[in-house]
Protein backbone atom coordinates (compact mmCIF):
# COMPACT_ATOMS: atom_id res chain seq x y z
CA UNK A 1 0.00 0.00 0.00
CA UNK A 2 1.32 3.43 -0.93
CA UNK A 3 0.59 6.45 1.28
CA UNK A 4 1.10 9.94 -0.09
CA UNK A 5 0.43 13.32 1.46
CA UNK A 6 -0.29 16.57 -0.32
CA UNK A 7 2.73 18.83 -0.62
CA UNK A 8 3.31 21.60 1.88
CA UNK A 9 1.45 24.65 0.56
CA UNK A 10 -0.93 22.61 -1.56
CA UNK A 11 -4.52 23.36 -0.60
CA UNK A 12 -7.05 20.59 -1.23
CA UNK A 13 -10.34 22.01 -2.49
CA UNK A 14 -12.34 19.05 -3.75
CA UNK A 15 -12.69 15.29 -3.71
CA UNK A 16 -14.77 13.62 -6.39
CA UNK A 17 -15.25 10.08 -7.71
CA UNK A 18 -13.16 9.36 -10.79
CA UNK A 19 -15.06 8.73 -13.99
CA UNK A 20 -14.80 5.12 -15.21
CA UNK A 21 -12.86 6.32 -18.26
CA UNK A 22 -10.24 7.94 -16.01
CA UNK A 23 -9.85 4.72 -14.01
CA UNK A 24 -9.38 2.61 -17.13
CA UNK A 25 -5.79 1.54 -17.62
CA UNK A 26 -4.88 1.88 -13.97
CA UNK A 27 -4.70 -1.53 -12.30
CA UNK A 28 -3.93 0.10 -8.97
CA UNK A 29 -7.10 2.14 -8.54
CA UNK A 30 -10.19 0.43 -7.14
CA UNK A 31 -12.35 3.08 -5.49
CA UNK A 32 -11.04 5.90 -7.65
CA UNK A 33 -11.05 9.39 -6.20
CA UNK A 34 -9.74 12.60 -7.68
CA UNK A 35 -8.31 15.10 -5.22
CA UNK A 36 -8.05 18.60 -6.62
CA UNK A 37 -6.67 21.87 -5.39
CA UNK A 38 -4.19 24.69 -5.84
CA UNK A 39 -0.67 25.60 -4.80
CA UNK A 40 -1.23 28.51 -2.44
CA UNK A 41 1.87 30.38 -3.65
CA UNK A 42 1.87 29.84 -7.40
CA UNK A 43 -1.92 29.20 -7.73
CA UNK A 44 -1.05 26.30 -10.04
CA UNK A 45 -3.73 23.58 -9.92
CA UNK A 46 -2.86 20.01 -8.91
CA UNK A 47 -4.68 16.69 -9.08
CA UNK A 48 -4.04 13.38 -7.36
CA UNK A 49 -5.75 10.04 -7.88
CA UNK A 50 -6.21 7.68 -4.94
CA UNK A 51 -8.32 4.87 -3.57
CA UNK A 52 -8.84 6.43 -0.17
CA UNK A 53 -8.28 9.81 1.43
CA UNK A 54 -7.59 10.72 5.06
CA UNK A 55 -8.71 14.29 5.73
CA UNK A 56 -6.44 15.16 8.67
CA UNK A 57 -7.71 18.74 8.86
CA UNK A 58 -10.36 20.36 11.07
CA UNK A 59 -13.98 19.28 10.63
CA UNK A 60 -15.06 22.64 9.16
CA UNK A 61 -12.20 22.44 6.64
CA UNK A 62 -13.20 18.86 5.74
CA UNK A 63 -16.80 20.05 5.27
CA UNK A 64 -15.58 22.73 2.88
CA UNK A 65 -13.65 20.17 0.83
CA UNK A 66 -16.69 17.85 0.64
CA UNK A 67 -19.08 20.73 -0.04
CA UNK A 68 -21.29 19.91 -3.02
CA UNK A 69 -21.02 16.14 -2.48
CA UNK A 70 -23.57 13.89 -0.77
CA UNK A 71 -21.07 12.58 1.75
CA UNK A 72 -22.90 11.17 4.82
CA UNK A 73 -20.37 12.74 7.23
CA UNK A 74 -21.38 16.29 6.28
CA UNK A 75 -24.10 16.70 8.99
CA UNK A 76 -21.57 15.60 11.64
CA UNK A 77 -18.83 17.87 10.30
CA UNK A 78 -21.25 20.83 10.34
CA UNK A 79 -22.31 20.06 13.94
CA UNK A 80 -18.87 20.96 15.32
CA UNK A 81 -18.24 24.68 15.76
CA UNK A 82 -14.86 26.33 16.10
CA UNK A 83 -13.82 29.41 18.03
CA UNK A 84 -10.97 31.70 17.03
CA UNK A 85 -8.01 32.00 19.41
CA UNK A 86 -5.08 34.37 19.10
CA UNK A 87 -1.61 33.32 20.20
CA UNK A 88 1.39 35.64 20.58
CA UNK A 89 5.03 34.58 20.69
CA UNK A 90 6.70 37.31 22.75
CA UNK A 91 9.23 38.48 25.35
CA UNK A 92 6.85 40.57 27.50
CA UNK A 93 7.06 39.29 31.10
CA UNK A 94 4.21 41.59 32.18
CA UNK A 95 1.80 38.82 31.06
CA UNK A 96 3.36 36.51 33.67
CA UNK A 97 2.71 36.48 37.44
CA UNK A 98 4.29 39.50 39.14
CA UNK A 99 6.45 37.37 41.44
CA UNK A 100 8.95 35.33 39.44
CA UNK A 101 8.84 32.66 42.15
CA UNK A 102 5.22 32.01 41.08
CA UNK A 103 6.08 31.41 37.41
CA UNK A 104 4.94 27.99 36.16
CA UNK A 105 4.96 26.32 32.73
CA UNK A 106 1.28 27.26 32.24
CA UNK A 107 0.08 30.52 33.83
CA UNK A 108 -3.64 31.27 33.75
CA UNK A 109 -4.51 34.95 33.45
CA UNK A 110 -7.03 35.98 36.08
CA UNK A 111 -10.54 35.85 34.59
CA UNK A 112 -11.65 38.90 36.61
CA UNK A 113 -9.20 41.11 34.75
CA UNK A 114 -10.57 40.08 31.36
CA UNK A 115 -13.39 41.44 29.31
CA UNK A 116 -16.47 39.22 29.10
CA UNK A 117 -15.04 36.28 27.18
CA UNK A 118 -15.25 32.55 27.61
CA UNK A 119 -11.93 31.99 25.85
CA UNK A 120 -9.17 30.42 27.92
CA UNK A 121 -6.38 32.88 28.62
CA UNK A 122 -3.00 31.44 29.44
CA UNK A 123 0.69 32.29 29.10
CA UNK A 124 3.15 29.46 28.49
CA UNK A 125 6.73 29.90 29.74
CA UNK A 126 8.54 28.26 26.82
CA UNK A 127 11.96 28.04 28.53
CA UNK A 128 10.45 25.80 31.19
CA UNK A 129 8.28 23.78 28.79
CA UNK A 130 11.13 22.74 26.53
CA UNK A 131 14.91 23.04 26.38
CA UNK A 132 15.88 26.21 24.48
CA UNK A 133 19.33 27.11 23.25
CA UNK A 134 19.22 30.54 24.94
CA UNK A 135 18.41 31.90 28.40
CA UNK A 136 16.19 34.87 27.47
CA UNK A 137 12.61 34.28 28.67
CA UNK A 138 10.22 33.52 25.81
CA UNK A 139 6.44 33.27 26.23
CA UNK A 140 3.39 32.19 24.25
CA UNK A 141 0.17 33.92 25.36
CA UNK A 142 -3.17 32.55 24.24
CA UNK A 143 -6.02 35.12 24.25
CA UNK A 144 -4.36 37.56 26.67
CA UNK A 145 -6.69 40.29 28.03
CA UNK A 146 -4.33 42.77 26.33
CA UNK A 147 -1.75 42.11 23.62
CA UNK A 148 1.91 41.99 24.65
CA UNK A 149 4.09 45.06 24.03
CA UNK A 150 4.38 45.27 20.20
CA UNK A 151 8.13 45.94 20.55
CA UNK A 152 8.47 42.62 22.38
CA UNK A 153 6.14 40.64 20.09
CA UNK A 154 7.80 38.17 17.73
CA UNK A 155 4.72 36.71 16.05
CA UNK A 156 0.93 36.73 16.21
CA UNK A 157 -0.97 33.64 15.02
CA UNK A 158 -4.74 33.06 14.71
CA UNK A 159 -5.86 29.52 15.53
CA UNK A 160 -9.24 27.82 15.60
CA UNK A 161 -10.23 25.35 18.30
CA UNK A 162 -13.26 23.04 18.35
CA UNK A 163 -16.10 23.75 20.77
CA UNK A 164 -17.17 20.51 22.42
CA UNK A 165 -20.90 21.18 22.74
CA UNK A 166 -23.44 18.40 23.30
CA UNK A 167 -24.13 18.33 19.54
CA UNK A 168 -20.40 18.10 18.81
CA UNK A 169 -19.91 15.16 21.18
CA UNK A 170 -22.83 13.34 19.51
CA UNK A 171 -21.36 14.12 16.07
CA UNK A 172 -17.98 12.70 17.14
CA UNK A 173 -19.68 9.42 18.11
CA UNK A 174 -21.80 9.30 14.93
CA UNK A 175 -18.72 9.94 12.79
CA UNK A 176 -17.41 6.47 13.60
CA UNK A 177 -20.33 5.00 11.63
CA UNK A 178 -19.38 6.79 8.40
CA UNK A 179 -15.57 6.56 8.59
CA UNK A 180 -14.33 5.25 5.24
CA UNK A 181 -17.61 5.92 3.48
CA UNK A 182 -16.94 6.76 -0.21
CA UNK A 183 -13.24 6.17 0.53
CA UNK A 184 -12.93 9.17 2.86
CA UNK A 185 -11.57 8.97 6.43
CA UNK A 186 -11.41 11.74 9.01
CA UNK A 187 -8.62 12.34 11.52
CA UNK A 188 -7.51 15.21 13.74
CA UNK A 189 -7.47 16.26 17.36
CA UNK A 190 -11.08 17.50 17.00
CA UNK A 191 -12.28 13.87 16.89
CA UNK A 192 -11.22 13.57 20.56
CA UNK A 193 -10.51 16.17 23.24
CA UNK A 194 -8.39 18.43 21.02
CA UNK A 195 -4.98 17.38 22.32
CA UNK A 196 -1.93 16.06 20.46
CA UNK A 197 -2.69 12.53 21.68
CA UNK A 198 -6.15 12.73 20.10
CA UNK A 199 -4.66 13.71 16.75
CA UNK A 200 -2.17 10.85 16.93
CA UNK A 201 -4.83 8.32 17.89
CA UNK A 202 -7.23 9.42 15.13
CA UNK A 203 -4.50 9.35 12.48
CA UNK A 204 -3.37 5.90 13.56
CA UNK A 205 -6.95 4.64 13.62
CA UNK A 206 -7.46 5.81 10.02
CA UNK A 207 -4.15 4.27 8.90
CA UNK A 208 -4.93 0.98 10.68
CA UNK A 209 -8.37 0.84 9.08
CA UNK A 210 -6.73 1.23 5.70
CA UNK A 211 -4.64 -1.83 6.43
CA UNK A 212 -1.42 -0.13 7.47
CA UNK A 213 0.66 -1.19 10.44
CA UNK A 214 2.78 1.94 10.57
CA UNK A 215 3.80 1.81 14.20
CA UNK A 216 2.62 0.55 17.54
CA UNK A 217 0.89 3.10 19.76
CA UNK A 218 2.81 3.94 22.93
CA UNK A 219 1.42 1.89 25.81
CA UNK A 220 -0.17 4.91 27.51
CA UNK A 221 -2.13 5.81 24.34
CA UNK A 222 -3.17 2.22 23.70
CA UNK A 223 -4.61 2.05 27.24
CA UNK A 224 -6.48 5.35 26.79
CA UNK A 225 -8.02 4.26 23.45
C1 LIG B 1 -0.95 27.96 21.79
C2 LIG B 1 -1.41 26.53 21.77
C3 LIG B 1 -0.96 25.65 22.74
C4 LIG B 1 -1.36 24.31 22.74
N1 LIG B 1 -0.87 23.48 23.70
C5 LIG B 1 -1.19 22.17 23.66
C6 LIG B 1 -0.61 21.27 24.60
O1 LIG B 1 0.15 21.66 25.49
N2 LIG B 1 -0.95 19.96 24.52
C7 LIG B 1 -1.79 19.48 23.55
O2 LIG B 1 -2.03 18.26 23.50
N3 LIG B 1 -2.36 20.31 22.65
C8 LIG B 1 -2.07 21.64 22.68
N4 LIG B 1 -2.62 22.50 21.77
C9 LIG B 1 -3.59 21.97 20.81
C10 LIG B 1 -2.91 21.20 19.70
O3 LIG B 1 -1.77 21.89 19.25
C11 LIG B 1 -3.89 21.06 18.55
O4 LIG B 1 -5.11 20.56 19.00
C12 LIG B 1 -3.33 20.08 17.52
O5 LIG B 1 -2.15 20.59 16.96
C13 LIG B 1 -4.33 19.86 16.43
O6 LIG B 1 -3.76 18.91 15.55
P1 LIG B 1 -4.52 18.49 14.23
O7 LIG B 1 -3.58 17.61 13.47
O8 LIG B 1 -5.88 17.98 14.55
O9 LIG B 1 -4.77 19.86 13.46
P2 LIG B 1 -3.69 20.89 12.89
O10 LIG B 1 -2.41 20.84 13.64
O11 LIG B 1 -4.41 22.19 12.80
O12 LIG B 1 -3.39 20.29 11.43
C14 LIG B 1 -4.33 20.39 10.38
C15 LIG B 1 -3.53 20.58 9.10
O13 LIG B 1 -4.43 20.53 7.99
C16 LIG B 1 -3.98 21.47 7.04
N5 LIG B 1 -5.11 21.82 6.17
C17 LIG B 1 -6.29 22.39 6.52
N6 LIG B 1 -7.08 22.54 5.44
C18 LIG B 1 -6.38 22.05 4.38
C19 LIG B 1 -6.65 21.93 2.98
N7 LIG B 1 -7.80 22.34 2.44
N8 LIG B 1 -5.69 21.38 2.18
C20 LIG B 1 -4.50 20.95 2.71
N9 LIG B 1 -4.18 21.03 4.03
C21 LIG B 1 -5.12 21.58 4.85
C22 LIG B 1 -3.52 22.67 7.88
O14 LIG B 1 -2.65 23.50 7.13
C23 LIG B 1 -2.81 21.94 9.03
O15 LIG B 1 -1.45 21.71 8.73
C24 LIG B 1 -2.25 23.85 21.74
C25 LIG B 1 -2.71 24.73 20.76
C26 LIG B 1 -2.30 26.06 20.77
C27 LIG B 1 -2.80 26.99 19.70
Amino acid sequence: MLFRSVRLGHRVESIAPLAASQKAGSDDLHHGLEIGGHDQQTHAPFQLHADAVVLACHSNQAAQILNGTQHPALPMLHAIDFQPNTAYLHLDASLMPRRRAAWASWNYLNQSTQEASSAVSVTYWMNRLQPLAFSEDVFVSLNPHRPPDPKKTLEEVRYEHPIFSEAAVKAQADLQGVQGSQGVWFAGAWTGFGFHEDGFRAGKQAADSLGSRVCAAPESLAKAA
Side-chain angles (χ1 to χ4, degrees):
M1 182 178 302
L2 179 65
F3 277 85
R4 296 174 70 190
S5 60
V6 288
R7 285 214 201 122
L8 192 64
H10 274 191
R11 183 180 177 78
V12 175
E13 283 153 0
S14 64
I15 295 175
L18 267 181
S21 57
Q22 290 173 289
K23 262 193 279 183
S26 171
D27 296 336
D28 299 333
L29 282 177
H30 304 289
H31 209 92
L33 294 169
E34 182 167 276
I35 300 123
H38 280 88
D39 183 306
Q40 290 184 99
Q41 274 196 328
T42 64
H43 303 290
F46 71 87
Q47 285 176 343
L48 291 169
H49 292 171
D51 262 329
V53 176
V54 180
L55 288 176
C57 52
H58 298 184
S59 51
N60 52 353
Q61 296 163 334
Q64 219 172 353
I65 292 168
L66 294 173
N67 189 23
T69 72
Q70 300 292 320
H71 199 281
L74 278 167
M76 295 137 218
L77 301 176
H78 285 306
I80 301 170
D81 286 328
F82 282 76
Q83 67 178 22
N85 288 302
T86 307
Y88 297 89
L89 177 66
H90 66 92
L91 310 171
D92 186 353
S94 70
L95 286 169
M96 289 290 278
R98 257 181 235 132
R99 281 190 312 118
R100 192 176 170 106
W103 286 17
S105 302
W106 293 36
N107 304 272
Y108 284 90
L109 296 172
N110 192 335
Q111 200 71 16
S112 63
T113 61
Q114 294 182 50
E115 290 165 21
S117 157
S118 58
V120 172
S121 187
V122 60
T123 292
Y124 303 90
W125 184 14
M126 300 313 293
N127 310 62
R128 184 158 171 178
L129 274 167
Q130 61 192 67
L132 297 178
F134 46 85
S135 56
E136 186 168 15
D137 291 318
V138 180
F139 313 104
V140 170
S141 290
L142 193 59
N143 301 320
H145 55 275
R146 60 163 176 79
D149 179 346
K151 289 195 215 84
K152 296 180 180 174
T153 300
L154 305 172
E155 191 152 352
E156 178 182 341
V157 186
R158 302 276 160 101
Y159 290 101
E160 282 199 322
H161 285 96
I163 302 171
F164 295 115
S165 62
E166 205 179 324
V169 172
K170 182 175 182 312
Q172 284 177 327
D174 292 347
L175 187 74
Q176 297 310 317
V178 296
Q179 283 281 22
S181 177
Q182 299 176 15
V184 182
W185 299 83
F186 303 91
W190 62 271
T191 61
F193 296 105
F195 292 107
H196 297 141
E197 293 88 335
D198 299 300
F200 175 87
R201 193 162 37 235
K204 185 173 183 307
Q205 189 186 13
D208 284 350
S209 306
L210 285 165
S212 163
R213 291 288 173 269
V214 184
C215 60
E219 209 177 309
S220 55
L221 283 177
K223 272 186 201 150

